[in-house]
Amino acid sequence: MQRRDEVVAIDFGYQITKAAHLKRSGSGFRLVKYVLIETPIYEKIPSRELLTDHFKAVINALGSAPKHVVLAIGAGDSLLCHADLPGSNVSDLRKMLKLSPKTYLQQDLPDFVFDCYFKPPAAESATATARYRRKAKVLVGGAKRGLVENFQDAAKSAGLIVEYITLSQIGVVNAVRALPSDSHAEVAALLDIGSNHSSIGILTNGELALTRTVTVGAGKLADFFGKTGAADLKAGKMEDFQAKVHGLISTLARELSASIDFFETQSEAKVTEIIVSGGAARSQFILQSLEAELEIPCESWTPVKCRGLELPERKRNEVEYEGPQLAVAVGLGLGSLQPDSVRINLLAEEQEVAEMRRRNPVRRARWASAGALLLMLLWAAFLGLKLQRGGAEMKRYETELRELQKNSSQALSIARMATDLRHTLTALKQQAANRLFFAPALSALQYTTIPNVQFHDLRIEQSVINDPGVAAVIQNGVTVTPEKPGSATEKTKLVVQGKNFGDPKSIDKLVETISGHPYFKQYLRPTDPVLLKDLPRRQVDPTDPNKAFQFFTIECIYSDRVYKNE
């Protein structure tokens, strides 16, 4: 395709048709003019006559616009998905999809026009290159041939030159790619709310990782506001009105949440932002409702934020409000003028055939064409057989992996149980060793209680200090340094923590009571047997705001026990 300096992008919607005239301006682009025109009513597929008149009305509204246009088909009349296809050039992929769409897309699509887009990975090694040649993740777009031909013939009848026909979802992707990289997250969800359908996409580092179309649009919400909602408001049923509006928005939020959850389970990335476009994106109520439902920041797309895009001064305020509706049209125009954009061209097959005829006007012989077609069929059948065998082998490996995971999980469970039992036995041994020591101390503490003082934590801390001793030093039969035998000193203290609901003197009285008890007199050290270690400020009892208490910590230090080493 030839390089163009300006183009008109037309987004044919169910209710509103959006058109934008973009032109190169230095190193960037300029939005010369845009129009929003009501789409004529039609039943299933718009006729060529209806489209011709409508395209003429759009061009007349734009004024002095170029004849080169790009057109977009809505999400409800098209197909856009990812598929794992044999690594080959785009032309061969289109042919394979045309011959057998059910094999690669798992659905019958008779009389469809396809195009593919994929970004080949950087081949870092011979192994990576060979793997890429065997299989590639391809973005596949398609629409019914009759609809594509209607668009093309109607545009030609209106005196226009169609550069290519693509899908509205591709326009949204290119529109978001035009935003500065620091203005949105690396992993962002794209939501384009149409009249009858909404498209959902996940953009990762500028590449479309997931795409989906749902049959939930702004048309239902608009009908609700115009009929049922107005009746509820008139009747004063504000709660019923809010509940119904919340239900309509929740349906769209659930579809978007399901797509985000599927993406996050299939990859290690996390969606941290949602970029919303379409007429409904102008409503802060809808954005805030979606953000409250999904707990992810939602932001409306606007051409004001696009990198290198100049806006007309006289319409800058209008663009700020109507910008979300222009996402598809502006994205189509930028995608046409930028060579590195995501591009799905439903006229690619026709343009390729025309280019081949232009380069080589001599038609191939019939036998050569039949042989090439037979080889293509055999090649497709061979690749299909290899894919089938590969799938069977993959299922076998998955079964073996599940068995290994099951066995490993049982072994880990048994190991955890053994660890828990070992910890329990250790705790029981410690409890058995200390129970005889705790009983007399607890028995003595029950006679030292003070009114309004509660004990809530008791523990005994023991430590042993070893003294290796000194061996005797004898010189010339004379003992220079006498022998000092080794010893072990056992230090024990009882730590009591509690709450004082009375006056501060209650703590002093508690210390005196413990010090004067016969048991503690006998076993505690004679000097400073009971120490007050911690006494923070009083605080309000959270269970009863009318009470206040003061934490305290008391240490009862036992006399050291010294054991001589024999």
Side-chain angles (χ1 to χ4, degrees):
M1 298 179 62
Q2 298 180 1
R3 173 187 172 100
R4 302 293 179 190
D5 291 330
E6 56 182 338
V7 71
V8 171
I10 301 176
D11 174 23
F12 186 84
Y14 283 96
Q15 294 183 350
I16 301 296
T17 297
K18 287 75 68 176
H21 176 196
L22 283 86
K23 186 176 182 180
R24 293 186 186 274
S25 176
S27 59
F29 306 93
R30 182 161 55 93
L31 180 59
V32 179
K33 191 176 180 181
Y34 69 90
V35 293
L36 304 175
I37 298 179
E38 185 176 357
T39 302
I41 299 175
Y42 60 94
E43 294 183 2
K44 293 184 178 180
I45 296 178
S47 64
R48 298 182 183 182
E49 294 76 16
L50 183 146
L51 287 173
T52 300
D53 295 336
H54 187 56
F55 287 153
K56 288 180 179 179
V58 171
I59 297 301
N60 291 334
L62 285 174
S64 57
K67 298 300 182 180
H68 294 274
V69 297
V70 292
L71 307 177
I73 297 177
D77 299 324
S78 60
L79 167 73
L80 184 66
C81 64
H82 287 89
D84 292 329
L85 301 179
S88 183
N89 56 60
V90 177
S91 177
D92 291 340
L93 294 178
R94 282 197 298 265
K95 294 175 182 177
M96 284 188 286
L97 290 171
K98 180 181 178 181
L99 290 173
S100 181
K102 189 173 183 179
T103 302
Y104 304 105
L105 304 180
Q106 287 75 49
Q107 53 183 318
D108 287 324
L109 300 170
D111 201 27
F112 253 62
V113 180
F114 298 99
D115 191 28
C116 305
Y117 167 84
F118 68 100
K119 186 177 181 181
E124 298 179 358
S125 62
T127 304
T129 303
R131 184 169 58 253
Y132 159 66
R133 288 176 179 173
R134 288 197 299 270
K135 209 169 190 181
K137 194 172 186 65
V138 180
L139 183 64
V140 179
K144 290 186 177 180
R145 186 179 298 276
L147 181 61
V148 175
E149 291 176 351
N150 279 2
F151 270 75
Q152 186 179 16
D153 295 340
K156 290 180 179 179
S157 301
L160 303 176
I161 302 173
V162 182
E163 292 282 342
Y164 64 90
I165 298 177
T166 185
L167 314 180
S168 60
Q169 302 95 307
I170 299 300
V172 175
V173 173
N174 288 327
V176 176
R177 283 164 58 100
L179 297 175
S181 58
D182 56 353
S183 67
H184 59 86
E186 293 183 358
V187 182
L190 313 182
L191 174 61
D192 183 56
I193 305 176
S195 176
N196 298 335
H197 298 80
S198 297
S199 63
I200 300 171
I202 306 293
L203 202 65
T204 304
N205 294 323
E207 294 298 327
L208 187 62
L210 181 144
T211 179
R212 183 169 172 242
T213 300
V214 295
T215 57
V216 181
K220 295 182 179 179
L221 193 61
D223 293 341
F224 173 76
F225 276 107
K227 299 176 183 178
T228 309
D232 289 341
L233 289 177
K234 188 175 181 180
K237 300 178 181 179
M238 180 59 68
E239 295 182 358
D240 295 342
F241 174 81
Q242 293 177 349
K244 292 175 181 178
V245 172
H246 180 72
L248 290 173
I249 297 177
S250 296
T251 303
L252 182 59
R254 284 195 299 270
E255 296 289 348
L256 182 56
S257 177
S259 301
I260 293 175
D261 292 341
F262 175 80
F263 168 78
E264 291 179 348
T265 55
Q266 296 296 321
S267 63
E268 299 179 356
K270 185 174 181 61
V271 176
T272 57
E273 184 182 11
I274 300 174
I275 301 175
V276 187
S277 58
R282 298 177 298 177
S283 171
Q284 290 297 322
F285 171 76
I286 295 178
L287 294 179
Q288 292 172 2
S289 301
L290 288 174
E291 187 169 347
E293 287 279 345
L294 300 171
E295 297 182 355
I296 300 176
C298 295
E299 182 180 4
S300 63
W301 182 93
T302 173
V304 176
K305 301 178 182 178
C306 287
R307 178 179 64 250
L309 182 63
E310 301 176 6
L311 303 176
E313 291 293 336
R314 55 191 178 85
K315 280 200 170 185
R316 187 175 293 271
N317 295 331
E318 296 179 8
V319 170
E320 186 72 18
Y321 174 73
E322 298 174 345
Q325 288 184 284
L326 301 175
V328 175
V330 173
L332 291 178
L334 293 175
S336 175
L337 299 176
Q338 290 179 321
D340 58 343
S341 60
V342 178
R343 182 169 297 179
I344 293 290
N345 182 11
L346 299 182
L347 300 180
E349 182 179 0
E350 179 181 338
Q351 293 171 353
E352 182 181 0
V353 173
E355 181 68 14
M356 290 176 62
R357 289 177 179 174
R358 187 184 66 82
R359 292 183 179 181
N360 185 14
V362 180
R363 296 184 179 181
R364 297 179 180 180
R366 293 182 179 180
W367 288 106
S369 300
L373 180 60
L374 180 60
L375 289 176
M376 183 64 69
L377 291 174
L378 292 176
W379 182 38
F382 175 72
L383 293 177
L385 181 61
K386 289 186 65 177
L387 287 175
Q388 184 179 2
R389 291 180 178 177
E393 187 175 0
M394 184 181 66
K395 289 182 180 179
R396 180 172 61 83
Y397 286 141
E398 288 177 350
T399 303
E400 293 177 358
L401 178 60
R402 285 194 292 268
E403 291 295 329
L404 291 175
Q405 290 176 344
K406 181 179 179 181
N407 295 334
S408 63
S409 61
Q410 292 177 355
L412 290 174
S413 177
I414 294 173
R416 284 193 294 268
M417 291 175 60
T419 303
D420 294 341
L421 290 174
R422 184 166 60 253
H423 290 181
T424 303
L425 290 175
T426 302
L428 290 174
K429 289 180 180 179
Q430 292 177 352
Q431 183 67 22
N434 294 332
R435 71 184 188 279
L436 297 177
F437 187 83
F438 261 106
L442 293 176
S443 177
L445 278 177
Q446 69 179 337
Y447 297 104
T448 62
T449 57
I450 301 298
N452 296 324
V453 176
Q454 296 180 359
F455 297 158
H456 65 81
D457 187 31
L458 301 174
R459 68 177 184 273
I460 292 178
E461 298 179 358
Q462 290 182 324
S463 61
V464 178
I465 300 175
N466 293 314
D467 185 2
V470 179
V473 178
I474 302 175
Q475 294 181 357
N476 299 325
V478 179
T479 301
V480 177
T481 302
E483 178 183 3
K484 181 182 178 181
S487 63
T489 303
E490 181 185 70
K491 294 182 177 292
T492 306
K493 61 181 178 182
L494 174 63
V495 181
V496 180
Q497 293 181 338
K499 298 179 181 178
N500 176 24
F501 290 90
D503 55 18
K505 295 182 179 180
S506 299
I507 302 299
D508 299 334
K509 188 175 180 181
L510 176 64
V511 173
E512 293 177 0
T513 304
I514 295 176
S515 302
H517 191 274
Y519 169 79
F520 291 109
K521 275 187 175 181
Q522 179 181 357
Y523 291 103
L524 297 185
R525 69 184 182 183
T527 304
D528 295 330
V530 181
L531 299 178
L532 180 60
K533 300 297 292 184
D534 190 16
L535 192 65
R537 298 171 60 182
R538 295 180 72 85
Q539 55 182 302
V540 178
D541 190 353
T543 60
D544 188 357
N546 297 323
K547 293 182 180 181
F549 64 88
Q550 188 177 25
F551 283 110
F552 67 87
T553 302
I554 292 176
E555 292 185 356
C556 303
I557 303 175
Y558 286 77
S559 299
D560 294 345
R561 294 184 180 183
V562 180
Y563 302 94
K564 299 292 184 178
N565 295 335
E566 297 179 358

